[in-house]
Amino acid sequence: MHTWVPALLAVLAALMIAAGTVLRQRASRVNGAITPGWWAGAAIALCGFGLQASALGLGSILLVQPLVVLAVLFALPLEAWADHRHPARIEWAWGGVLVACVVTFLIVARPEPSMRRPDALLLWGTVGAVVGVVVALVIFAHRSSPHYKALFYGLVAGILFGVSALLVKTVIYQVTHHFWRTFVHPEIYLFVLVVVCAILAQQMGFGAGDLQTSFPSMTVAEPAVAMVLGVLLLGENLKVSVPTALFLGIVLAIMVRAVCELAKLSAVRGYEQAVAAEESAAEEAAAVEDTAAAEEAAAGESGTARSRPVV
């Protein structure tokens, strides 16, 4: 399979995920209700996840996940268009940094899928480590302030979404090679369980009220975990020298910083818009109450005037 096919699917997935996310945010930011616009955004995002699954089934995680991260970048002009504004210079700057890092990583690394699989000890050791980290983060979240609760639940959601990327790659392989045996293997059921837990952790992180903390942590943890698991459990590698590997590590660190900054800017802007929408709704409600009170007072004065005897 040519590398450009999963790469194209990953870019299209990032675009649709960004469009669906922006549409859902705009449809529910006034009162948090689930509207037809929210469902439309959810359908678009779901199609994006389907394209991401197809890309993972055809290509390497080390290729697909950095490209899917571009959803944070694609959301930038979409949010600006929806808000009738121009993106700020700082947003374009970090967006340019993100694109440069992704392109540099893919050109230098040239990742390819591998059929090598780890031994049982490495497999169960990795699974145990992931479960231990997730449990520890959940415990820390329950004992922390809202700020750190949002951070920890965001990390949990990102880790679980990263695990789901690995599982969906396995499920796609089973569907395309042994379709009738797909539902016999536990991977598909484990995938559903992991995604449900990830969504719950995501909502709990958002519910902590510190979106500018939970959203960036989740956005960064997902590709990082998926790429690490791809190397450890699927045998994917970059086949580069030690100096080149160090250079790619610096590139990935800069990319993580760019994703964090873009996600933080988006989260802060979304929070401010939600607060402004709530204040506007409260002002409208107060204006309606004032109008109703004035009408009642006027009606009362009119009734009093009519009831007075004429001298």
Side-chain angles (χ1 to χ4, degrees):
M1 177 61 65
H2 295 289
T3 303
W4 67 267
V5 176
L8 178 61
L9 291 174
V11 172
L12 291 176
L15 180 59
M16 296 191 71
I17 290 172
T21 301
V22 172
L23 188 57
R24 281 183 298 165
Q25 182 182 11
R26 293 304 179 276
S28 60
R29 71 181 183 182
V30 176
N31 54 13
I34 297 179
T35 63
W38 188 95
W39 284 111
I44 294 174
L46 185 61
C47 292
F49 290 130
L51 290 175
Q52 180 184 1
S54 301
L56 287 170
L58 298 174
S60 166
I61 287 181
L62 296 179
L63 169 69
V64 173
Q65 289 304 121
L67 290 173
V68 174
V69 168
L70 293 177
V72 180
L73 174 65
F74 291 149
L76 174 62
L78 293 174
E79 287 180 339
W81 174 77
D83 295 335
H84 305 287
R85 63 175 181 85
H86 295 287
R89 291 182 179 179
I90 186 65
E91 293 175 319
W92 283 125
W94 283 115
V97 171
L98 176 60
V99 172
C101 289
V102 171
V103 172
T104 301
F105 175 81
L106 295 180
I107 290 177
V108 175
R110 290 181 296 177
E112 296 180 356
S114 172
M115 298 305 295
R116 181 171 59 88
R117 293 296 180 265
D119 56 29
L121 181 60
L122 178 60
L123 174 63
W124 289 109
T126 305
V127 171
V130 171
V131 172
V133 170
V134 169
V135 171
L137 289 174
V138 171
I139 294 175
F140 291 153
H142 279 285
R143 299 178 178 178
S144 302
S145 62
H147 173 77
Y148 286 102
K149 180 178 292 186
L151 172 64
F152 292 140
Y153 274 124
L155 290 174
V156 170
I159 291 172
L160 293 178
F161 279 126
V163 173
S164 70
L166 184 76
L167 291 172
V168 76
K169 185 174 179 66
T170 304
V171 171
I172 291 295
Y173 178 84
Q174 292 175 352
V175 170
T176 54
H177 291 79
H178 310 285
F179 176 76
W180 299 111
R181 299 179 59 186
T182 301
F183 298 96
V184 178
H185 295 281
E187 285 84 355
I188 187 170
Y189 305 105
L190 184 59
F191 168 73
V192 174
L193 176 62
V194 169
V195 169
V196 170
C197 292
I199 293 174
L200 290 176
Q202 181 187 49
Q203 292 303 119
M204 295 184 74
F206 291 165
D210 196 357
L211 189 62
Q212 59 268 33
T213 299
S214 62
F215 186 50
S217 61
M218 180 187 66
T219 305
V220 169
E222 177 182 354
V225 170
M227 293 170 70
V228 170
L229 293 180
V231 173
L232 293 177
L233 301 184
L234 298 184
E236 297 185 1
N237 52 64
L238 304 178
K239 296 181 181 180
V240 295
S241 62
V242 174
T244 304
L246 294 176
F247 169 73
L248 290 177
I250 296 174
V251 171
L252 289 175
I254 299 174
M255 185 174 71
V256 166
R257 175 65 185 277
V259 171
C260 283
E261 293 298 328
L262 287 172
K264 186 183 297 183
L265 290 170
S266 176
V268 170
R269 188 166 52 250
Y271 175 77
E272 291 175 349
Q273 290 170 348
V275 171
E278 291 179 358
E279 292 177 350
S280 177
E283 290 176 358
E284 291 179 359
V288 170
E289 291 179 357
D290 291 341
T291 302
E295 291 177 352
E296 290 180 359
E301 291 178 358
S302 176
T304 302
R306 286 195 302 267
S307 63
R308 290 176 182 172
V310 179
V311 179

